[in-house]
Amino acid sequence: MWNYTDKVKEHFFNPKNAGALDEANAVGEVGSITCGDALKLMMKVNPDSQVIEDAKFQTFGCGSAIASSSALTEMIIGKTVDEALAVTNRDIAEYLGGLPPEKMHCSVMGAEALRAAIADFKGEEWVDDHEEGELVCKCFGIDAAMIERAVTVNSLTTLEEVTHYTKAGGSCQTCHEKIEEVLEAVLAKTGALAPPKPHAPGTVGLDAIKPLAPKAEAAPAKLTNVQRMQKIMFAIEELRPQIQRDGGDVELVDIDGKDIYVRLTGACSGCSQSAGTMMGVQAKLVEALGEFVRVKPASLLPAGA
């Protein structure tokens, strides 16, 4: 299991500003459910003062994605659009007290959604990263431009760090060579091949905030298929009383690798918050298994499955 701060846990278990924002006049959407993470950021901006008066989010992802999205909305409410544009993923991670290296991509997704929402408010065309530059990682739709931003803002120097911050190269690994080419080009351009100078005590800069190191303990043994299925079933059973109190229910339908199919019944089946319920189920399973999984409605089961 990863080492999460109390602030991350607070925003995960009690997310702020979750849900739809009907009065939104600035919307940014990044990611894709098919790739595992997606975020929709909605903001209500005063057209005269350009102050962000309200912000809400809807996300499909792990606990760190929920916490990062929640923290982002808290950070930008009350700021002007230009002030919000200066917020980076490092600021989000610092606000949360740090994130495990493997989860830093969640803060990057938040920063990208913010850029997209501000572009929407200004009437500028926002093009998803996979269309903005050369596509590097086909598995997660990550292009060279997004990798360059992550490397520059976060002072990344290794392929492993790029994967942690963007997810690029985290699946089939066939893009590792291209990622290293982009990384080397950015480091050569910025002169960052040498280690960055340390900051003076009490100051905070882009490379002063380091992600939390994983707990120094032996990696747990890999679960057998039976153990994994038991953990999934137990986690869902733990969630059911909470969902049943709201007049609904959830049942496990099928497990297909990283894809876990469930069926919502009762009040949950047609509820406007069903997506939030699915998100909660996914977060619970991610925590229980210590690995990323996707929770999908049973209606998306492949034909014949």
Side-chain angles (χ1 to χ4, degrees):
M1 298 298 291
W2 291 294
N3 181 21
Y4 293 109
T5 67
D6 290 338
K7 199 70 174 288
V8 171
K9 294 175 183 176
E10 174 192 339
H11 279 272
F12 166 55
F13 290 113
N14 299 289
K16 312 296 190 298
N17 308 307
L21 180 60
D22 295 334
E23 304 86 2
N25 56 356
V27 179
E29 296 185 68
V30 296
S32 168
I33 291 180
T34 59
C35 297
D37 289 306
L39 168 62
K40 181 178 182 180
L41 176 66
M42 295 151 282
M43 306 188 307
K44 178 184 178 183
V45 184
N46 185 306
D48 297 321
S49 64
Q50 296 210 343
V51 170
I52 300 171
E53 298 179 342
D54 199 3
K56 290 193 175 184
F57 75 93
Q58 293 176 317
T59 187
F60 184 90
C62 63
S64 295
I66 297 171
S68 295
S69 303
S70 172
L72 173 62
T73 58
E74 290 286 277
M75 294 171 66
I76 62 176
I77 292 176
K79 291 184 183 291
T80 65
V81 168
D82 288 340
E83 288 171 340
L85 192 58
V87 173
T88 69
N89 74 284
R90 299 302 292 267
D91 296 322
I92 298 172
E94 181 197 23
Y95 184 90
L96 290 169
L99 285 168
E102 298 87 351
K103 294 297 181 180
M104 286 299 289
H105 66 269
C106 296
S107 65
V108 173
M109 185 171 66
E112 293 289 298
L114 177 59
R115 292 173 68 242
I118 292 175
D120 179 52
F121 172 73
K122 292 183 175 181
E124 300 171 354
E125 182 180 2
W126 170 260
V127 184
D128 286 341
D129 278 316
H130 66 277
E131 296 176 355
E132 185 176 297
E134 178 190 0
L135 184 62
V136 174
C137 176
K138 295 181 180 179
C139 296
F140 295 108
I142 307 300
D143 80 333
M146 183 173 180
I147 294 174
E148 289 172 2
R149 283 195 296 274
V151 171
T152 302
V153 172
N154 300 284
S155 302
L156 309 183
T157 58
T158 67
L159 169 64
E160 182 181 25
E161 289 176 333
V162 172
T163 300
H164 289 335
Y165 280 72
T166 67
K167 296 183 73 173
S171 184
C172 71
Q173 303 181 7
T174 58
C175 59
H176 281 190
E177 185 176 348
K178 285 188 176 181
I179 295 173
E180 289 178 333
E181 289 175 359
V182 175
L183 177 61
E184 290 174 4
V186 175
L187 294 180
K189 184 189 303 181
T190 60
L193 290 173
K197 294 181 179 179
H199 287 266
T203 65
V204 175
L206 288 179
D207 50 0
I209 309 159
K210 300 299 181 184
L212 294 180
K215 288 183 178 179
E217 56 186 38
K222 184 177 180 180
L223 297 174
T224 66
N225 289 336
V226 172
Q227 290 173 328
R228 188 169 180 268
M229 181 173 66
Q230 290 174 335
K231 278 185 172 290
I232 292 171
M233 295 175 65
F234 181 74
I236 290 178
E237 285 301 313
E238 279 191 325
L239 276 175
R240 289 186 68 204
Q242 178 182 342
I243 298 175
Q244 289 171 339
R245 282 196 295 271
D246 294 329
D249 206 348
V250 59
E251 62 176 313
L252 176 65
V253 176
D254 196 11
I255 303 172
D256 183 12
K258 296 289 186 181
D259 295 331
I260 299 175
Y261 295 89
V262 301
R263 179 179 290 113
L264 297 180
T265 57
C268 289
S269 61
C271 176
S272 60
Q273 298 298 318
S274 59
T277 302
M278 295 286 285
M279 181 176 67
V281 174
Q282 174 170 294
K284 176 73 172 179
L285 293 180
V286 168
E287 293 294 324
L289 296 171
E291 63 176 281
F292 178 76
V293 294
R294 292 175 291 264
V295 172
K296 299 182 178 181
S299 59
L300 295 182
L301 262 172

